[in-house]
Coordinates of all heavy atoms in Angstrom, one line a residue:
R168 N -20.4 -120.2 137.9 CA -20.7 -121.0 136.7 C -21.0 -122.4 136.9 O -21.3 -123.2 135.9 CB -19.4 -120.9 135.8 CG -19.1 -119.5 135.4 CD -17.9 -119.5 134.5 NE -17.5 -118.1 134.0 CZ -18.1 -117.5 133.0 NH1 -19.1 -118.1 132.3 NH2 -17.8 -116.3 132.7
A169 N -21.1 -122.9 138.2 CA -21.3 -124.3 138.4 C -22.7 -124.7 138.0 O -23.7 -123.9 138.0 CB -21.2 -124.5 139.9
Q170 N -22.9 -125.9 137.5 CA -24.1 -126.5 137.1 C -24.8 -127.2 138.2 O -24.1 -127.7 139.2 CB -23.9 -127.4 135.9 CG -23.3 -126.7 134.7 CD -24.1 -125.6 134.1 OE1 -25.3 -125.8 133.8 NE2 -23.6 -124.4 134.0
G171 N -26.1 -127.4 138.2 CA -26.8 -128.2 139.1 C -27.7 -127.4 140.1 O -27.5 -126.2 140.2
A172 N -28.5 -128.1 140.8 CA -29.5 -127.4 141.7 C -28.7 -126.8 142.9 O -27.8 -127.4 143.5 CB -30.5 -128.4 142.2
C173 N -29.2 -125.5 143.2 CA -28.6 -124.8 144.3 C -29.6 -123.9 145.0 O -30.6 -123.5 144.4 CB -27.3 -124.0 143.9 SG -27.7 -122.6 142.8
L174 N -29.4 -123.6 146.2 CA -30.1 -122.6 147.0 C -29.2 -121.4 147.1 O -28.0 -121.6 147.3 CB -30.4 -123.1 148.4 CG -31.2 -122.2 149.3 CD1 -32.7 -122.2 149.0 CD2 -31.0 -122.6 150.8
Y175 N -29.8 -120.2 146.9 CA -28.9 -119.0 147.1 C -29.6 -118.0 148.0 O -30.9 -118.0 148.1 CB -28.5 -118.4 145.7 CG -29.7 -117.9 144.9 CD1 -30.2 -116.6 145.0 CD2 -30.3 -118.8 143.9 CE1 -31.2 -116.2 144.2 CE2 -31.3 -118.3 143.1 CZ -31.8 -117.0 143.3 OH -32.8 -116.5 142.5
L176 N -28.8 -117.2 148.6 CA -29.3 -116.2 149.6 C -28.6 -114.9 149.3 O -27.4 -114.9 149.0 CB -29.0 -116.7 151.0 CG -29.5 -118.1 151.4 CD1 -28.3 -119.1 151.3 CD2 -30.1 -118.1 152.8
V177 N -29.4 -113.8 149.4 CA -28.8 -112.5 149.3 C -28.9 -111.8 150.7 O -29.9 -111.7 151.3 CB -29.7 -111.6 148.3 CG1 -29.1 -110.2 148.1 CG2 -29.8 -112.3 147.0
A178 N -27.7 -111.4 151.1 CA -27.6 -110.8 152.5 C -27.0 -109.4 152.4 O -26.2 -109.2 151.5 CB -26.8 -111.7 153.4
G179 N -27.4 -108.6 153.2 CA -26.7 -107.2 153.3 C -25.5 -107.3 154.2 O -25.2 -108.4 154.8
S180 N -24.8 -106.2 154.3 CA -23.6 -106.2 155.2 C -24.0 -106.4 156.6 O -23.1 -106.7 157.5 CB -22.9 -104.8 155.0 OG -23.8 -103.7 155.2
D181 N -25.3 -106.2 157.0 CA -25.8 -106.5 158.3 C -26.1 -107.9 158.5 O -26.6 -108.3 159.6 CB -27.0 -105.6 158.6 CG -28.1 -105.8 157.6 OD1 -28.0 -106.7 156.7 OD2 -29.1 -105.1 157.6
R182 N -25.9 -108.8 157.5 CA -26.1 -110.2 157.5 C -27.6 -110.6 157.5 O -28.0 -111.7 157.6 CB -25.4 -110.9 158.6 CG -23.9 -111.1 158.4 CD -23.2 -111.9 159.4 NE -23.7 -113.3 159.5 CZ -23.3 -114.3 158.7 NH1 -22.4 -114.0 157.7 NH2 -23.8 -115.5 158.8
K183 N -28.5 -109.6 157.4 CA -29.9 -109.9 157.3 C -30.2 -110.4 155.9 O -29.7 -109.9 154.9 CB -30.8 -108.7 157.6 CG -30.7 -108.2 159.0 CD -31.6 -107.0 159.3 CE -31.5 -106.6 160.7 NZ -32.4 -105.4 161.0
I184 N -30.9 -111.5 155.8 CA -31.1 -112.2 154.5 C -32.3 -111.6 153.8 O -33.4 -111.7 154.2 CB -31.3 -113.7 154.7 CG1 -30.0 -114.3 155.4 CG2 -31.6 -114.4 153.4 CD1 -30.2 -115.7 155.9
R185 N -32.0 -110.9 152.7 CA -33.1 -110.2 152.0 C -33.9 -111.1 151.1 O -35.1 -110.9 150.9 CB -32.5 -109.1 151.1 CG -32.3 -107.7 151.7 CD -31.5 -107.7 152.9 NE -31.1 -106.3 153.2 CZ -30.3 -106.0 154.2 NH1 -29.8 -106.9 155.0 NH2 -30.1 -104.7 154.5
Y186 N -33.2 -112.1 150.5 CA -33.9 -112.9 149.5 C -33.4 -114.4 149.5 O -32.2 -114.6 149.8 CB -33.6 -112.3 148.1 CG -34.4 -113.0 147.0 CD1 -35.7 -112.6 146.7 CD2 -33.9 -114.0 146.2 CE1 -36.4 -113.2 145.6 CE2 -34.6 -114.7 145.2 CZ -35.9 -114.2 144.9 OH -36.6 -114.8 143.9
V187 N -34.3 -115.3 149.3 CA -33.9 -116.7 149.2 C -34.5 -117.2 147.9 O -35.6 -117.0 147.5 CB -34.5 -117.5 150.4 CG1 -34.2 -119.0 150.2 CG2 -34.1 -117.0 151.7
G188 N -33.6 -117.9 147.1 CA -34.0 -118.4 145.8 C -33.4 -119.7 145.5 O -32.5 -120.2 146.2
I189 N -33.8 -120.3 144.4 CA -33.1 -121.5 143.9 C -32.9 -121.4 142.4 O -33.5 -120.6 141.7 CB -34.0 -122.8 144.1 CG1 -35.4 -122.7 143.4 CG2 -34.3 -123.0 145.6 CD1 -36.1 -124.0 143.3
S190 N -32.0 -122.2 142.0 CA -31.7 -122.4 140.5 C -31.6 -123.9 140.3 O -30.9 -124.6 141.0 CB -30.5 -121.7 140.1 OG -30.3 -121.9 138.7
R191 N -32.2 -124.4 139.3 CA -32.1 -125.8 138.9 C -30.9 -126.1 138.1 O -30.4 -127.2 138.1 CB -33.3 -126.2 138.1 CG -34.6 -126.2 138.9 CD -35.9 -126.4 138.0 NE -37.1 -126.4 138.8 CZ -37.7 -125.4 139.2 NH1 -37.3 -124.1 138.9 NH2 -38.8 -125.5 140.0
N192 N -30.3 -125.0 137.5 CA -29.2 -125.2 136.6 C -27.9 -124.4 137.0 O -27.0 -124.2 136.2 CB -29.6 -124.8 135.2 CG -30.8 -125.6 134.7 OD1 -30.7 -126.9 134.7 ND2 -31.8 -125.0 134.3
G193 N -27.9 -123.9 138.2 CA -26.7 -123.2 138.6 C -27.0 -121.7 138.8 O -28.0 -121.1 138.2
L194 N -26.2 -121.0 139.6 CA -26.5 -119.6 140.0 C -26.5 -118.7 138.8 O -27.3 -117.7 138.8 CB -25.4 -119.2 141.0 CG -25.7 -117.8 141.7 CD1 -26.9 -117.9 142.6 CD2 -24.5 -117.4 142.5
K195 N -25.7 -118.9 137.9 CA -25.6 -117.9 136.8 C -26.8 -117.9 135.9 O -27.1 -117.0 135.1 CB -24.3 -118.1 135.9 CG -24.0 -116.9 135.1 CD -22.6 -116.9 134.5 CE -22.3 -115.6 133.8 NZ -21.0 -115.6 133.2
H196 N -27.7 -118.9 136.0 CA -28.9 -118.9 135.3 C -29.9 -118.0 135.9 O -30.9 -117.6 135.3 CB -29.5 -120.3 135.2 CG -28.8 -121.2 134.2 ND1 -29.3 -121.5 133.0 CD2 -27.7 -121.9 134.3 CE1 -28.5 -122.3 132.3 NE2 -27.5 -122.5 133.1
R197 N -29.7 -117.6 137.2 CA -30.6 -116.6 137.8 C -29.9 -115.2 138.0 O -30.6 -114.2 137.8 CB -31.0 -117.1 139.2 CG -31.8 -118.4 139.2 CD -33.1 -118.3 138.3 NE -33.9 -117.2 138.6 CZ -34.7 -117.1 139.7 NH1 -34.9 -118.1 140.5 NH2 -35.5 -116.0 139.9
W198 N -28.6 -115.2 138.3 CA -27.9 -114.0 138.4 C -27.0 -113.9 137.1 O -25.8 -114.3 137.2 CB -27.0 -113.9 139.7 CG -27.9 -113.7 140.9 CD1 -28.5 -114.7 141.6 CD2 -28.2 -112.5 141.5 NE1 -29.2 -114.1 142.6 CE2 -29.0 -112.7 142.6 CE3 -27.8 -111.1 141.2 CZ2 -29.5 -111.7 143.4 CZ3 -28.3 -110.1 142.0 CH2 -29.2 -110.4 143.1
R199 N -27.6 -113.4 136.1 CA -26.9 -113.5 134.8 C -26.5 -112.1 134.3 O -27.1 -111.1 134.8 CB -27.8 -114.1 133.7 CG -29.1 -113.4 133.4 CD -29.9 -114.1 132.4 NE -30.4 -115.4 132.8 CZ -30.9 -116.3 132.1 NH1 -30.9 -116.1 130.8 NH2 -31.3 -117.5 132.6
T200 N -25.6 -112.1 133.4 CA -25.3 -110.8 132.7 C -25.9 -110.8 131.4 O -25.9 -111.8 130.6 CB -23.7 -110.6 132.6 OG1 -23.2 -111.8 131.9 CG2 -23.1 -110.4 133.9
S201 N -26.6 -109.7 131.1 CA -27.4 -109.6 129.9 C -27.0 -108.5 129.0 O -26.5 -107.4 129.5 CB -28.9 -109.4 130.2 OG -29.4 -110.4 131.0
P202 N -27.1 -108.6 127.7 CA -26.9 -107.4 126.8 C -27.7 -106.2 127.3 O -28.9 -106.4 127.6 CB -27.4 -107.9 125.4 CG -27.2 -109.4 125.5 CD -27.6 -109.8 126.9
A203 N -27.1 -105.0 127.3 CA -27.8 -103.9 127.9 C -27.8 -102.7 126.8 O -26.8 -102.6 126.1 CB -27.0 -103.4 129.1
F204 N -28.9 -101.9 126.9 CA -29.0 -100.8 126.0 C -29.3 -99.6 126.8 O -30.1 -99.6 127.7 CB -30.2 -101.1 125.0 CG -29.9 -102.3 124.1 CD1 -30.1 -103.6 124.6 CD2 -29.3 -102.2 122.9 CE1 -29.9 -104.7 123.9 CE2 -29.1 -103.3 122.1 CZ -29.3 -104.6 122.6
C205 N -28.8 -98.5 126.4 CA -29.0 -97.2 127.0 C -30.5 -96.9 127.0 O -31.1 -96.9 125.9 CB -28.2 -96.1 126.4 SG -28.5 -94.4 127.1
A206 N -31.1 -96.6 128.2 CA -32.5 -96.3 128.2 C -32.9 -95.0 127.5 O -34.0 -94.8 127.1 CB -32.9 -96.2 129.7
T207 N -31.9 -94.1 127.3 CA -32.2 -92.8 126.6 C -32.0 -92.9 125.1 O -32.8 -92.5 124.3 CB -31.3 -91.7 127.2 OG1 -31.5 -91.6 128.6 CG2 -31.6 -90.4 126.5
T208 N -30.9 -93.5 124.7 CA -30.5 -93.5 123.2 C -30.8 -94.9 122.6 O -30.8 -95.0 121.3 CB -29.0 -93.2 123.0 OG1 -28.3 -94.3 123.6 CG2 -28.7 -91.9 123.7
A209 N -31.1 -95.9 123.3 CA -31.3 -97.3 122.8 C -30.0 -97.9 122.2 O -30.1 -99.0 121.6 CB -32.4 -97.3 121.8

């Protein structure tokens, strides 16, 4: 939930880095939880 510019990395259990990204306003602005709807029933 921290605010401010950050660099983030996604690593597997093998420690290989899959993805590198940034957020200007904190991690949760990029890795967010969104309202979700069933793909079948909506």
